[in-house]
């Protein structure tokens, strides 16, 4: 069965510093995708970044990068130069060939001024 | 480009009452998803539509939940009768599978059953 694990219920980071949010996954599929979503207090899920299982290079989107280590089945999100607006819940998710997303339990990030 | 629209944003009902949620996906998106997000957890898929066909409803509690997507655009999710455990945020998402991996989410409907 597919599973996403986020072991950090909450994280603090100082403004302008970098932070890594951990995500590990379990699947027997060869083809899958890994996603990170941000959910601010307003409730909407905002797509941040995507990594395909066959992509050799780590994905980057602005201040977001995904540290993909396939052998370790990890897909950590790195946020550089944290901003106060980055305070939110962050969810790691995996999508398979059926296009269904399976989400982790989330990490709440608080950025300190 | 308008995003995914959901209504209502909030709903409070008594148990055993019916409730319905509406979703209008992004124009041109042929795939629509309904997720349920319990407090402190990630979203869980309830049903996925490709155009007007429900292609994955394996996690939809069919004894009380129903959904429809007439004409392959808007969708309605219904609960009848509602139970206390149905209190959650119901999220709708859409995508165009041939062009994007990304699912675009609406703001959700927060349901409280008393």
């Amino acid at each position: 069965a597919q599973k996403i694990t986020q072991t950090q219920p909450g994280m603090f980071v100082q403004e302008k510093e970098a932070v890594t949010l951990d995500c590990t996954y379990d699947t027997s599929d060869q083809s899958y995708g890994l996603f990170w979503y941000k959910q601010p207090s307003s409730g909407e899920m905002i797509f941040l970044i995507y990594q395909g299982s066959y992509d050799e290079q780590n994905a980057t989107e602005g201040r977001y990068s995904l540290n993909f280590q396939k052998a370790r089945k990890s897909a950590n999100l790195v946020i550089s130069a944290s901003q106060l607006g980055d305070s939110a819940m962050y969810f790691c998710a995996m999508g398979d060939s059926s296009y269904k997303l399976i989400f982790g339990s989330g990490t709440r990030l608080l950025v300190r001024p | 480009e308008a995003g995914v629209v959901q209504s209502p944003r909030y709903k409070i009902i008594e148990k055993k009452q019916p409730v319905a949620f509406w979703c209008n996906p992004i124009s041109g998106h042929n795939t629509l998803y309904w997720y349920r997000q319990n407090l402190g957890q990630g979203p869980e898929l309830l049903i996925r539509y490709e155009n007007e066909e429900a292609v994955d409803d394996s996690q939809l509690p069919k004894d009380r939940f129903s959904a429809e997507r007439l004409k392959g655009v808007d969708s309605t999710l219904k609960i009848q009768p509602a139970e206390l455990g149905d209190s959650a945020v119901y999220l709708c998402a859409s995508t165009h599978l041939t062009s994007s991996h990304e699912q675009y989410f609406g703001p959700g409907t927060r349901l409280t059953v008393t």
Side-chain angles (χ1 to χ4, degrees), chain B:
Chain B
E1 177 183 86
V4 176
V5 179
Q6 290 188 249
S7 69
R9 289 296 311 277
Y10 304 92
K11 190 73 176 179
I12 301 174
I13 61 171
E14 294 182 346
K15 62 182 180 183
K16 301 184 182 180
Q17 294 300 307
V19 65
F21 315 124
W22 176 78
C23 172
N24 180 238
I26 292 173
S27 178
H29 282 194
N30 59 331
T31 303
L32 182 146
Y33 307 78
W34 282 102
Y35 289 86
R36 177 170 59 189
Q37 185 177 19
N38 292 316
L39 188 64
Q41 299 180 21
E44 295 179 323
L45 181 70
L46 291 174
I47 189 168
R48 174 170 71 95
Y49 282 92
E50 287 187 12
N51 300 306
E52 64 276 7
E53 181 183 0
V55 296
D56 184 356
D57 63 356
S58 57
Q59 297 185 79
L60 188 73
K62 297 181 183 62
D63 57 336
R64 296 182 301 106
F65 286 66
S66 65
E68 61 182 12
R69 192 185 183 198
L70 300 176
K71 301 181 182 179
V73 181
D74 295 2
S75 178
T76 302
L77 178 69
K78 298 178 181 178
I79 308 175
Q80 183 171 12
E83 297 179 352
L84 295 176
D86 296 332
S87 294
V89 176
Y90 291 83
L91 293 163
C92 179
S94 71
T95 192
H96 197 293
L97 286 180
T98 57
S99 62
S100 174
H101 305 281
E102 176 186 348
Q103 293 183 21
Y104 295 83
F105 283 79
T109 297
R110 182 177 297 276
L111 174 67
T112 302
V113 182
T114 64

Side-chain angles (χ1 to χ4, degrees), chain A residues 35 37 39 41-47 50 89 91 97-106, chain B residues 9 33 35 37 40-43 45 48 50 56 58-59 91 97 101-107:
Chain A
F35 302 75
Y37 281 83
Q39 188 176 42
S41 56
S42 59
E44 189 168 351
M45 299 286 282
I46 302 168
F47 168 77
Y50 166 82
M89 283 291 290
F91 290 95
S97 56
S98 68
Y99 306 109
K100 177 174 68 177
L101 287 183
I102 296 171
F103 287 83
S105 56
Chain B
R9 289 296 311 277
Y33 307 78
Y35 289 86
Q37 185 177 19
Q41 299 180 21
L45 181 70
R48 174 170 71 95
E50 287 187 12
D56 184 356
S58 57
Q59 297 185 79
L91 293 163
L97 286 180
H101 305 281
E102 176 186 348
Q103 293 183 21
Y104 295 83
F105 283 79

Side-chain angles (χ1 to χ4, degrees), chain A residues 23-61:
Chain A
C23 173
T24 58
Y25 61 92
D26 191 16
T27 181
S28 57
D29 289 350
Q30 297 300 312
S31 178
Y32 52 89
L34 296 157
F35 302 75
W36 277 92
Y37 281 83
K38 173 184 178 182
Q39 188 176 42
S41 56
S42 59
E44 189 168 351
M45 299 286 282
I46 302 168
F47 168 77
L48 297 178
I49 196 166
Y50 166 82
Q51 177 88 41
S53 59
Y54 292 113
D55 295 340
E56 294 185 353
Q57 289 194 327
N58 287 340
T60 60
E61 289 287 347

Side-chain angles (χ1 to χ4, degrees), chain A residues 39-96:
Chain A
Q39 188 176 42
S41 56
S42 59
E44 189 168 351
M45 299 286 282
I46 302 168
F47 168 77
L48 297 178
I49 196 166
Y50 166 82
Q51 177 88 41
S53 59
Y54 292 113
D55 295 340
E56 294 185 353
Q57 289 194 327
N58 287 340
T60 60
E61 289 287 347
R63 295 187 298 112
Y64 305 108
S65 60
L66 198 152
N67 185 359
F68 181 46
Q69 299 188 40
K70 194 170 184 177
R72 297 180 60 185
K73 293 189 174 180
S74 72
N76 298 338
L77 176 70
V78 180
I79 305 174
S80 62
S82 296
Q83 302 172 356
L84 296 178
D86 293 336
S87 294
M89 283 291 290
Y90 288 82
F91 290 95
C92 179
M94 178 169 58
D96 61 11

